[in-house]
Amino acid sequence: MSGGNGIRSGRRPGNSGTREAILDAARVRFAEVGFDRASIRSIATAAGVDPALVHHYFGTKHQLFAAALQLPVDPQTILAGFAAVPVENLGEHIIRTVVGIWDSPVGMPAVAAIRSLLASDDPTLARTFLLEIVLKEIRPLVDSPPGTGAQRAALAASQLAGLLITRKILRLEPIASMPIEDLVTTIGPTLQRYFTGDLPQQDRPTRQTSTGS
């Protein structure tokens, strides 16, 4: 069907350039409003396509985000498995899983994608990825006592980021060639301490009591 201006509405004719148009629109939209607030419909509108076409090419919004950032695996697939792990084993499990992916056949493009995000002049997408996907999934798992989940997840993320840089980007020895199980044994407990150990007490304002004169 054509509109009054003679331009056909709905799907673009053929698929030439359509996928890239969706990805370009997704990158802009995710950067502008974040992952949670960016809807498939708004991305489709910006790309000039029907929302069904976005689902056709990319499936879920998480899969679209992974494609927009050129991640070779959907992070949601990995993060979803963490919820089934007993919290007391979470540190070692995350080291084993994440480093296993870095060292696998998909590791090279995964590291390249993360390196590209870190080197970008605009860190918005990297921050969105970290805050609205990675940390968002981990926070509720380690939120004990209540209200500490965000701090615990952020501390763990700093440890993982440092491990990624030293092992896969700087290739700092002996970390670069250390067997995964050695990393699990040495770094896993540090990650676990962030998840379940004591945290410094935050300064809290003391309640002032009034006295009569």
Side-chain angles (χ1 to χ4, degrees):
M1 175 180 293
S2 298
N5 57 5
I7 299 176
R8 182 177 296 273
S9 60
R11 295 188 178 186
R12 293 168 178 254
N15 59 8
S16 177
T18 302
R19 192 175 187 278
E20 279 305 314
I22 294 171
L23 288 174
D24 288 343
R27 292 185 191 102
V28 171
R29 191 66 180 155
F30 287 136
E32 286 178 342
V33 301
F35 177 82
D36 287 339
R37 295 175 59 192
S39 67
I40 292 292
R41 181 174 296 278
S42 67
I43 292 169
T45 299
V49 301
D50 189 281
L53 199 57
V54 179
H55 289 293
H56 170 74
Y57 278 114
F58 299 102
T60 67
K61 188 166 72 166
H62 277 95
Q63 291 169 321
L64 173 60
F65 188 85
L69 269 62
Q70 298 181 323
L71 299 175
V73 292
D74 180 1
Q76 187 70 9
T77 303
I78 302 164
L79 293 166
F82 292 166
V85 178
V87 68
E88 62 270 18
N89 298 332
L90 196 56
E92 291 187 354
H93 177 81
I94 288 179
I95 294 293
R96 185 177 289 111
T97 301
V98 171
V99 177
I101 292 171
W102 293 346
D103 291 354
S104 73
V106 301
M108 187 176 296
V111 171
I114 295 172
R115 182 191 291 116
S116 177
L117 284 176
L118 295 176
S120 173
D121 291 336
D122 183 358
T124 306
L125 283 177
R127 187 165 54 245
T128 296
F129 173 61
L130 195 61
L131 293 178
E132 298 192 29
I133 294 183
V134 178
L135 298 186
K136 181 179 180 181
E137 296 294 332
I138 294 178
R139 280 197 304 263
L141 304 180
V142 297
D143 191 34
S144 179
T148 62
Q151 183 179 1
R152 293 181 184 280
L155 287 168
S158 72
Q159 183 74 39
L160 289 171
L163 179 58
L164 170 67
I165 291 171
T166 53
R167 183 175 177 85
K168 306 304 292 187
I169 297 178
L170 297 180
R171 298 187 179 278
L172 182 66
E173 293 294 354
I175 296 174
S177 58
M178 191 177 289
I180 291 179
E181 287 305 312
D182 287 353
L183 292 173
V184 169
T185 301
T186 55
I187 300 179
T190 299
L191 212 62
Q192 189 63 44
R193 178 171 61 84
Y194 290 146
F195 289 145
T196 57
D198 293 333
L199 295 174
Q201 292 292 321
Q202 300 296 317
D203 292 334
R204 295 171 183 164
T206 57
R207 178 176 296 179
Q208 299 294 327
T209 57
S210 61
T211 58
S213 55

XYZ file of all heavy atoms in Angstrom, residues 28-108:
611
model
N 22.132 4.179 18.038
C 21.791 5.547 18.417
C 20.786 5.556 19.556
O 20.934 6.280 20.547
C 21.241 6.318 17.205
C 20.680 7.672 17.638
C 22.326 6.511 16.155
N 19.762 4.717 19.435
C 18.695 4.713 20.439
C 19.200 4.199 21.784
O 18.895 4.771 22.840
C 17.530 3.843 19.940
C 16.260 3.961 20.774
C 15.675 5.335 20.678
N 14.457 5.460 21.471
C 14.004 6.590 21.946
N 14.655 7.724 21.703
N 12.891 6.637 22.653
N 19.988 3.117 21.779
C 20.544 2.596 23.027
C 21.444 3.633 23.692
O 21.464 3.761 24.914
C 21.330 1.314 22.765
C 20.484 0.111 22.466
C 20.810 -0.761 21.435
C 19.348 -0.161 23.218
C 20.033 -1.874 21.157
C 18.557 -1.280 22.951
C 18.911 -2.138 21.914
N 22.210 4.365 22.881
C 23.092 5.389 23.434
C 22.302 6.562 24.003
O 22.689 7.153 25.010
C 24.064 5.883 22.360
N 21.187 6.891 23.365
C 20.394 8.042 23.787
C 19.633 7.790 25.080
O 19.640 8.633 25.986
C 19.393 8.425 22.689
C 20.006 9.117 21.493
C 18.968 9.429 20.428
O 17.869 8.821 20.446
O 19.262 10.268 19.566
N 18.962 6.641 25.165
C 18.049 6.427 26.299
C 18.373 5.191 27.124
O 17.705 4.927 28.112
C 16.583 6.352 25.803
C 16.187 7.617 25.081
C 16.354 5.134 24.905
N 19.380 4.421 26.733
C 19.709 3.219 27.475
C 18.946 2.004 26.976
O 18.022 2.109 26.176
N 19.335 0.850 27.487
C 18.743 -0.403 27.026
C 17.278 -0.525 27.433
O 16.417 -0.867 26.628
C 19.541 -1.585 27.589
C 18.958 -2.933 27.224
C 19.219 -3.498 25.993
C 18.140 -3.613 28.115
C 18.685 -4.724 25.646
C 17.599 -4.835 27.781
C 17.872 -5.390 26.539
N 16.991 -0.256 28.709
C 15.637 -0.486 29.214
C 14.597 0.382 28.520
O 13.486 -0.061 28.240
C 15.596 -0.247 30.723
C 16.286 -1.355 31.510
O 16.443 -2.457 30.958
O 16.678 -1.113 32.658
N 14.942 1.638 28.250
C 13.973 2.580 27.701
C 13.886 2.546 26.174
O 12.962 3.119 25.592
C 14.306 3.995 28.175
C 14.155 4.185 29.679
C 14.598 5.562 30.119
N 13.823 6.611 29.450
C 14.143 7.898 29.463
N 15.248 8.284 30.087
N 13.392 8.782 28.847
N 14.834 1.908 25.542
C 14.794 1.803 24.078
C 13.876 0.644 23.688
O 14.151 -0.504 24.009
C 16.191 1.573 23.519
N 12.779 0.944 23.022
C 11.841 -0.097 22.616
C 12.119 -0.532 21.181
O 12.691 0.214 20.379
C 10.403 0.409 22.712
O 10.167 1.429 21.756
N 11.711 -1.752 20.882
C 11.826 -2.252 19.505
C 11.054 -1.342 18.559
O 11.511 -1.041 17.445
C 11.301 -3.695 19.417
C 12.225 -4.654 20.168
C 11.150 -4.121 17.968
C 13.580 -4.845 19.548
N 9.905 -0.873 18.986
C 9.083 -0.013 18.123
C 9.808 1.293 17.799
O 9.799 1.747 16.654
C 7.733 0.274 18.793
C 6.794 1.136 17.949
C 5.436 1.247 18.594
N 4.766 -0.044 18.665
C 4.099 -0.587 17.652
N 4.012 0.047 16.489
N 3.510 -1.758 17.802
N 10.438 1.901 18.808
C 11.128 3.172 18.556
C 12.327 2.974 17.639
O 12.637 3.827 16.800
C 11.567 3.817 19.878
O 12.568 3.050 20.522
N 13.009 1.847 17.790
C 14.145 1.544 16.911
C 13.661 1.302 15.488
O 14.258 1.785 14.522
C 14.918 0.326 17.459
C 15.610 0.695 18.781
C 15.941 -0.178 16.441
C 16.173 -0.485 19.536
N 12.561 0.568 15.365
C 12.002 0.312 14.038
C 11.574 1.614 13.367
O 11.809 1.816 12.164
C 10.817 -0.644 14.145
N 10.960 2.492 14.125
C 10.536 3.784 13.573
C 11.731 4.570 13.062
O 11.700 5.144 11.969
C 9.786 4.595 14.645
O 8.619 3.874 15.045
C 9.374 5.961 14.103
N 12.804 4.599 13.854
C 14.000 5.336 13.441
C 14.630 4.728 12.196
O 15.199 5.449 11.370
C 15.010 5.361 14.584
N 14.508 3.408 12.062
C 15.090 2.730 10.901
C 14.158 2.738 9.693
O 14.568 2.366 8.590
C 15.444 1.286 11.264
N 12.898 3.147 9.895
C 11.936 3.177 8.804
C 11.426 1.807 8.395
O 11.157 1.562 7.215
N 11.303 0.898 9.375
C 10.826 -0.451 9.077
C 9.723 -0.824 10.063
O 9.500 -0.156 11.071
C 11.968 -1.490 9.172
C 13.088 -1.149 8.204
C 12.505 -1.600 10.598
N 9.046 -1.906 9.760
C 8.026 -2.438 10.649
C 8.712 -3.131 11.827
O 9.740 -3.795 11.648
C 7.155 -3.442 9.885
C 5.941 -3.859 10.683
O 6.103 -4.714 11.577
O 4.844 -3.337 10.411
N 8.184 -3.007 13.070
C 8.803 -3.685 14.218
C 8.970 -5.188 14.015
O 9.925 -5.785 14.520
C 7.829 -3.385 15.362
C 7.192 -2.084 14.979
C 7.061 -2.132 13.481
N 8.043 -5.798 13.266
C 8.145 -7.237 13.031
C 9.430 -7.582 12.287
O 9.989 -8.675 12.460
C 6.932 -7.729 12.240
N 9.906 -6.647 11.484
C 11.128 -6.898 10.726
C 12.351 -6.906 11.646
O 13.310 -7.634 11.410
C 11.291 -5.836 9.632
C 12.242 -6.176 8.479
C 11.831 -7.468 7.801
C 12.280 -5.040 7.475
N 12.310 -6.090 12.697
C 13.401 -6.097 13.677
C 13.466 -7.458 14.348
O 14.542 -8.045 14.498
C 13.203 -4.981 14.721
C 14.335 -5.002 15.746
C 13.125 -3.612 14.043
N 12.300 -7.972 14.769
C 12.266 -9.299 15.392
C 12.705 -10.371 14.399
O 13.373 -11.344 14.779
C 10.854 -9.599 15.900
C 10.457 -8.781 17.097
N 11.056 -8.935 18.334
C 9.518 -7.807 17.248
C 10.508 -8.097 19.196
N 9.581 -7.397 18.566
N 12.342 -10.198 13.150
C 12.702 -11.184 12.120
C 14.218 -11.298 11.992
O 14.771 -12.393 11.916
C 12.085 -10.784 10.782
C 12.592 -11.590 9.623
N 12.212 -12.899 9.392
C 13.477 -11.270 8.636
C 12.824 -13.348 8.311
N 13.598 -12.381 7.831
N 14.905 -10.165 11.982
C 16.351 -10.174 11.809
C 17.101 -10.503 13.086
O 18.143 -11.162 13.048
C 16.832 -8.808 11.303
C 16.692 -8.606 9.816
C 15.811 -7.658 9.311
C 17.439 -9.356 8.913
C 15.677 -7.463 7.943
C 17.320 -9.170 7.544
C 16.438 -8.216 7.066
O 16.318 -8.036 5.718
N 16.594 -10.036 14.239
C 17.407 -10.082 15.444
C 16.772 -10.815 16.621
O 17.439 -11.014 17.638
C 17.770 -8.649 15.881
C 18.558 -7.914 14.844
C 17.947 -6.968 14.038
C 19.906 -8.189 14.649
C 18.672 -6.291 13.072
C 20.634 -7.519 13.686
C 20.018 -6.569 12.891
N 15.502 -11.174 16.540
C 14.878 -11.875 17.660
C 14.535 -10.920 18.788
O 13.749 -10.000 18.616
N 15.148 -11.114 19.951
C 14.823 -10.314 21.134
C 15.624 -9.016 21.173
O 16.585 -8.833 20.426
C 15.122 -11.108 22.409
O 16.541 -11.295 22.513
C 14.428 -12.470 22.388
N 15.245 -8.147 22.081
C 15.981 -6.886 22.247
C 17.399 -7.149 22.744
O 18.335 -6.440 22.367
C 15.233 -5.946 23.190
C 15.849 -4.539 23.238
C 14.955 -3.514 23.887
C 14.857 -3.694 25.372
N 14.257 -2.518 26.065
N 17.588 -8.162 23.599
C 18.930 -8.506 24.042
C 19.792 -8.942 22.861
O 20.982 -8.586 22.776
C 18.882 -9.626 25.084
C 18.602 -9.147 26.472
N 17.332 -9.138 27.003
C 19.419 -8.642 27.439
C 17.383 -8.665 28.239
N 18.631 -8.346 28.527
N 19.212 -9.719 21.949
C 19.969 -10.167 20.786
C 20.284 -8.999 19.850
O 21.365 -8.946 19.255
C 19.182 -11.253 20.044
C 19.087 -12.556 20.834
C 18.105 -13.534 20.229
O 17.043 -13.151 19.743
N 18.443 -14.811 20.257
N 19.365 -8.057 19.753
C 19.612 -6.856 18.959
C 20.749 -6.043 19.575
O 21.621 -5.537 18.862
C 18.343 -6.020 18.862
C 18.480 -4.638 18.198
C 18.985 -4.777 16.763
C 17.143 -3.898 18.222
N 20.746 -5.912 20.889
C 21.795 -5.169 21.560
C 23.152 -5.829 21.324
O 24.150 -5.148 21.054
C 21.501 -5.075 23.051
C 22.424 -4.162 23.808
C 22.180 -2.798 23.868
C 23.543 -4.658 24.464
C 23.034 -1.942 24.558
C 24.400 -3.815 25.160
C 24.134 -2.454 25.204
N 23.197 -7.154 21.434
C 24.453 -7.876 21.194
C 24.936 -7.652 19.767
O 26.136 -7.460 19.531
C 24.258 -9.367 21.464
N 24.014 -7.654 18.813
C 24.391 -7.419 17.420
C 24.854 -5.985 17.207
O 25.810 -5.722 16.469
C 23.211 -7.735 16.499
N 24.191 -5.041 17.855
C 24.565 -3.636 17.713
C 25.971 -3.383 18.252
O 26.708 -2.548 17.725
C 23.552 -2.752 18.430
N 26.344 -4.098 19.303
C 27.678 -3.948 19.876
C 28.679 -4.916 19.261
O 29.831 -4.955 19.664
C 27.631 -4.172 21.389
C 27.394 -2.926 22.240
C 26.028 -2.300 21.932
C 27.492 -3.239 23.716
N 28.196 -5.734 18.307
C 29.033 -6.713 17.616
C 29.605 -7.752 18.584
O 30.738 -8.196 18.441
C 30.158 -6.024 16.837
C 29.645 -5.093 15.746
C 30.757 -4.428 14.953
O 31.796 -4.077 15.494
N 30.541 -4.257 13.657
N 28.791 -8.118 19.564
C 29.182 -9.185 20.471
C 28.857 -10.523 19.817
O 27.763 -10.713 19.291
C 28.424 -9.061 21.799
C 28.664 -7.775 22.597
C 27.751 -7.743 23.813
C 30.117 -7.651 23.014
N 29.784 -11.480 19.851
C 29.544 -12.754 19.167
C 28.567 -13.667 19.891
O 28.082 -14.636 19.328
C 30.943 -13.381 19.102
C 31.660 -12.789 20.266
C 31.130 -11.389 20.425
N 28.295 -13.393 21.168
C 27.325 -14.188 21.931
C 26.381 -13.239 22.638
O 26.751 -12.118 22.989
C 28.019 -15.114 22.961
C 28.797 -16.209 22.261
C 28.929 -14.319 23.884
N 25.162 -13.693 22.846
C 24.184 -12.906 23.578
C 24.525 -12.990 25.061
O 24.483 -14.081 25.650
C 22.783 -13.462 23.317
C 21.692 -12.692 24.064
O 22.034 -11.717 24.762
O 20.516 -13.068 23.935
N 24.890 -11.874 25.696
C 25.265 -11.939 27.119
C 24.155 -12.463 28.009
O 24.404 -13.032 29.063
C 25.625 -10.489 27.459
C 24.976 -9.657 26.400
C 24.974 -10.503 25.171
N 22.914 -12.288 27.592
C 21.789 -12.770 28.384
C 21.847 -14.287 28.548
O 21.479 -14.822 29.595
C 20.478 -12.366 27.713
C 19.224 -12.675 28.528
C 19.097 -11.784 29.750
O 19.843 -10.830 29.898
N 18.164 -12.099 30.620
N 22.334 -14.976 27.518
C 22.457 -16.431 27.581
C 23.410 -16.849 28.687
O 23.177 -17.831 29.405
C 22.959 -16.972 26.233
O 22.065 -16.554 25.198
C 23.048 -18.487 26.249
N 24.497 -16.110 28.842
C 25.487 -16.423 29.871
C 24.984 -16.018 31.242
O 25.045 -16.779 32.203
C 26.812 -15.708 29.556
C 27.315 -16.125 28.172
C 27.856 -16.006 30.620
C 28.372 -15.213 27.623
N 24.463 -14.794 31.338
C 24.044 -14.263 32.625
C 22.880 -15.043 33.218
O 22.772 -15.170 34.437
C 23.668 -12.791 32.477
C 24.833 -11.857 32.128
C 24.311 -10.501 31.681
C 25.768 -11.699 33.311
N 22.005 -15.561 32.357
C 20.846 -16.308 32.849
C 21.273 -17.542 33.633
O 20.586 -17.968 34.564
C 19.940 -16.700 31.686
N 22.418 -18.115 33.276
C 22.893 -19.304 33.977
C 23.416 -19.027 35.365
O 23.478 -19.936 36.206
N 23.787 -17.778 35.642
C 24.342 -17.454 36.952
C 23.302 -17.594 38.064
O 23.643 -17.891 39.202
C 24.896 -16.031 36.957
C 26.121 -15.834 36.088
C 26.561 -14.565 35.757
C 26.823 -16.922 35.600
C 27.683 -14.383 34.975
C 27.946 -16.751 34.795
C 28.371 -15.476 34.488
N 22.044 -17.367 37.738
C 20.996 -17.410 38.751
C 20.843 -18.799 39.360
O 20.359 -18.929 40.491
C 19.672 -16.939 38.157
N 21.236 -19.826 38.623
C 21.078 -21.195 39.120
C 22.251 -21.634 39.989
O 22.210 -22.719 40.572
C 20.919 -22.157 37.940
N 23.273 -20.808 40.091
C 24.475 -21.177 40.849
C 24.312 -20.730 42.306
O 23.905 -19.589 42.563
C 25.721 -20.502 40.233
C 26.972 -20.840 41.041
C 25.886 -20.932 38.781
N 24.608 -21.588 43.277
C 24.565 -21.162 44.681
C 25.457 -19.946 44.875
O 26.576 -19.898 44.359
C 25.099 -22.384 45.439
C 24.830 -23.547 44.534
C 24.979 -23.014 43.150
N 24.973 -18.957 45.603
C 25.696 -17.693 45.717
C 27.088 -17.892 46.302
O 28.023 -17.157 45.968
C 24.885 -16.679 46.548
C 24.800 -17.103 48.007
C 25.462 -15.283 46.422
N 27.269 -18.925 47.128
C 28.587 -19.150 47.732
C 29.603 -19.692 46.717
O 30.805 -19.731 46.987
C 28.490 -20.100 48.931
C 27.993 -21.491 48.609
C 26.473 -21.612 48.720
O 25.796 -20.562 48.709
O 25.990 -22.755 48.830
N 29.135 -20.115 45.550
C 30.025 -20.614 44.495
C 30.104 -19.664 43.304
O 30.719 -19.986 42.293
C 29.535 -21.985 43.990
C 29.542 -23.039 45.080
O 30.327 -22.961 46.022
N 28.656 -24.012 44.974
N 29.498 -18.500 43.429
C 29.338 -17.621 42.278
C 30.679 -17.083 41.774
O 30.887 -16.978 40.558
C 28.415 -16.460 42.655
C 27.812 -15.641 41.507
C 27.049 -16.527 40.540
C 26.902 -14.554 42.071
N 31.602 -16.745 42.665
C 32.882 -16.184 42.245
C 33.653 -17.125 41.333
O 34.085 -16.744 40.241
N 33.834 -18.357 41.776
C 34.573 -19.322 40.969
C 33.833 -19.638 39.679
O 34.457 -19.773 38.620
C 34.811 -20.601 41.779
C 35.776 -20.423 42.938
C 36.127 -21.731 43.605
O 35.520 -22.771 43.235
O 37.006 -21.726 44.498
N 32.512 -19.747 39.753
C 31.736 -20.075 38.562
C 31.875 -18.992 37.493
O 32.041 -19.291 36.300
C 30.259 -20.256 38.927
C 29.379 -20.533 37.748
N 29.264 -21.788 37.188
C 28.588 -19.703 37.006
C 28.427 -21.726 36.157
N 28.015 -20.475 36.028
N 31.815 -17.726 37.908
C 31.909 -16.629 36.942
C 33.293 -16.591 36.300
O 33.422 -16.425 35.079
C 31.569 -15.290 37.611
C 30.064 -15.225 37.895
C 31.990 -14.119 36.728
C 29.617 -13.948 38.574
N 34.352 -16.764 37.093
C 35.700 -16.781 36.519
C 35.823 -17.914 35.507
O 36.309 -17.720 34.386
C 36.764 -16.935 37.622
C 36.780 -15.701 38.530
C 38.142 -17.164 37.006
C 37.256 -14.450 37.849
N 35.384 -19.096 35.881
C 35.491 -20.251 34.989
C 34.690 -20.032 33.704
O 35.165 -20.341 32.603
C 35.002 -21.512 35.711
C 35.189 -22.791 34.893
C 34.745 -24.009 35.685
N 35.666 -24.314 36.777
C 35.382 -24.173 38.070
N 34.172 -23.710 38.432
N 36.255 -24.470 38.998
N 33.487 -19.490 33.832
C 32.632 -19.304 32.663
C 33.145 -18.199 31.750
O 33.284 -18.385 30.537
C 31.192 -18.958 33.115
O 30.688 -20.018 33.929
C 30.291 -18.773 31.901
N 33.450 -17.048 32.333
C 33.834 -15.890 31.531
C 35.182 -16.100 30.865
O 35.344 -15.846 29.662
C 33.839 -14.618 32.404
C 34.437 -13.447 31.641
C 32.421 -14.274 32.846
N 36.170 -16.583 31.622
C 37.483 -16.812 31.025
C 37.405 -17.934 29.992
O 38.083 -17.896 28.958
C 38.532 -17.125 32.108
C 39.887 -17.436 31.475
C 38.671 -15.947 33.064
N 36.540 -18.913 30.253
C 36.344 -19.973 29.269
C 35.842 -19.439 27.941
O 36.261 -19.893 26.876
N 34.969 -18.458 27.993
C 34.479 -17.833 26.757
C 35.585 -17.029 26.087
O 35.789 -17.105 24.869
C 33.266 -16.943 27.060
C 32.072 -17.797 27.480
C 32.905 -16.086 25.836
C 30.905 -17.005 27.995
N 36.328 -16.243 26.871
C 37.438 -15.465 26.302
C 38.436 -16.370 25.573
O 38.980 -15.985 24.542
C 38.195 -14.720 27.407
C 37.421 -13.642 28.071
C 36.248 -13.074 27.641
C 37.739 -13.006 29.316
N 35.829 -12.129 28.549
C 36.715 -12.051 29.564
C 38.792 -13.139 30.225
C 36.725 -11.246 30.701
C 38.797 -12.335 31.351
C 37.769 -11.402 31.590
N 38.675 -17.558 26.122
C 39.680 -18.456 25.551
C 39.114 -19.398 24.488
O 39.858 -20.180 23.905
C 40.318 -19.299 26.664
C 41.183 -18.463 27.600
O 41.382 -17.265 27.321
O 41.653 -19.011 28.620
N 37.813 -19.322 24.229
C 37.167 -20.201 23.259
C 37.265 -19.613 21.855
O 37.750 -18.491 21.676
C 35.699 -20.390 23.642
O 34.977 -19.199 23.364
N 36.784 -20.341 20.821
C 36.826 -19.804 19.459
C 36.088 -18.482 19.287
O 36.442 -17.691 18.418
C 36.165 -20.913 18.627
C 36.486 -22.167 19.385
C 36.411 -21.776 20.821
N 35.073 -18.212 20.119
C 34.371 -16.930 20.007
C 35.065 -15.837 20.815
O 34.645 -14.686 20.790
C 32.896 -17.039 20.475
C 32.142 -18.053 19.656
C 32.810 -17.339 21.963
N 36.133 -16.210 21.522
C 36.786 -15.259 22.391
C 37.421 -14.093 21.664
O 37.351 -12.949 22.129
N 38.045 -14.356 20.509
C 38.737 -13.284 19.812
C 37.791 -12.166 19.390
O 38.049 -10.994 19.686
C 39.506 -13.833 18.606
C 40.400 -12.799 17.927
S 41.385 -13.508 16.582
C 42.407 -14.664 17.511
